[in-house]
Amino acid sequence: MSSRGSPGGPGPAHADNAFTVDLEEWFHVCGVGGALAFERWDELPARVVPTTRSLLDLLDRAGVRATFFVVGWIAERYPRLVQAVRDAGHEIGSHGYRHQRIYELDGAAFRSDLRASIGALNAAGVAAVRCFRAPEWSVNDRSLWALDTLVEEGFTVDASMAPLKMVGSLRYPRHPHIRRTGAGPILEVPPLVADRFGQVIPLGWGWGLRMSSPRRVLLAIDRLNRSGRPAVLAVHPWELDPDPPRVRLPAGLRFAHYFRLAGFADRLRAIVSGGRFGPISEIAKTAPASM
Ligand SMILES: [Zn+2]
């Protein structure tokens, strides 16, 4: 069982919830080729530095430290940005090197991509990489083998399994839990979902977070915390871009990437100022010993 806060009383000194960032470019979209193919990335307009700096500033003003899952390709091109993230006190994990869906890779390709991401982070000055988040929540029933690979490569935390039908499964636990693999245990830290409109929605990230009022998000988090559970939020720097480059995407992806970006920075500011957030390592301290 996770440890409890103090319902009704003053909160514990540590963070009750995790704030996470997938540090990637606006064009790191899974499953699309053409203009956004890997081979074209160096030709596309770069936005990650100013948008990440905005996010760092927003978090700094709220006194929030987070976990940043960095795409290896980004770490390789912008080592000083990674150092700025680290120097601001944030935790750094891997978001893969080429930002590929895990279930579209075989075991060797995933291990190779993972090692490339660790190498890029090491070269940028990050000594140990222990947390992982798969692009597009792509550790699911089709790729559970990836958890074994993560343990074998020294990871202790995975934050890739969404309890959501579209990208994961409604059967997945909604709270941090230990998953046993052939190589040893790993702490799985799922993102916040909520039941709304008779469905499960991604309240802690993407369109679900962007469509919701800060008040509604904070109420849901408070309710969860009162039952001794942490909430995990996830954002991308490109969601803070005041004028994001527009590209044609399939309908579902267009919604995921462009729906209600307007005003999101202000809403996010209200959310991070209104709750107790920290990096995943802080909520991991009180995570359950087993499911
Ligand atoms: Zn991503």
Side-chain angles (χ1 to χ4, degrees), residues 85-121:
V85 171
R86 183 199 59 194
D87 293 347
H90 302 293
E91 182 171 72
I92 293 181
S94 165
H95 194 41
Y97 180 82
R98 278 180 62 160
H99 200 262
Q100 304 166 96
R101 291 174 180 140
I102 309 305
Y103 53 76
E104 292 177 345
L105 304 174
D106 63 22
F110 173 57
R111 194 183 298 275
S112 160
D113 185 85
L114 188 62
R115 287 184 177 173
S117 80
I118 297 168
L121 286 169

Side-chain angles (χ1 to χ4, degrees), residues 45 118 121 131 170 190 204 291:
I118 297 168
L121 286 169
C131 303
L170 295 176
M291 258 183 83

Side-chain angles (χ1 to χ4, degrees), residues 22-25 28-30 69 71 95 99 133-137 236 238:
D22 294 351
L23 209 178
E24 62 188 39
E25 268 289 9
H28 288 155
V29 185
C30 291
F69 294 101
V71 169
H95 194 41
H99 200 262
R133 173 172 291 143
E136 208 180 270
W137 314 100
H236 304 87
W238 50 260

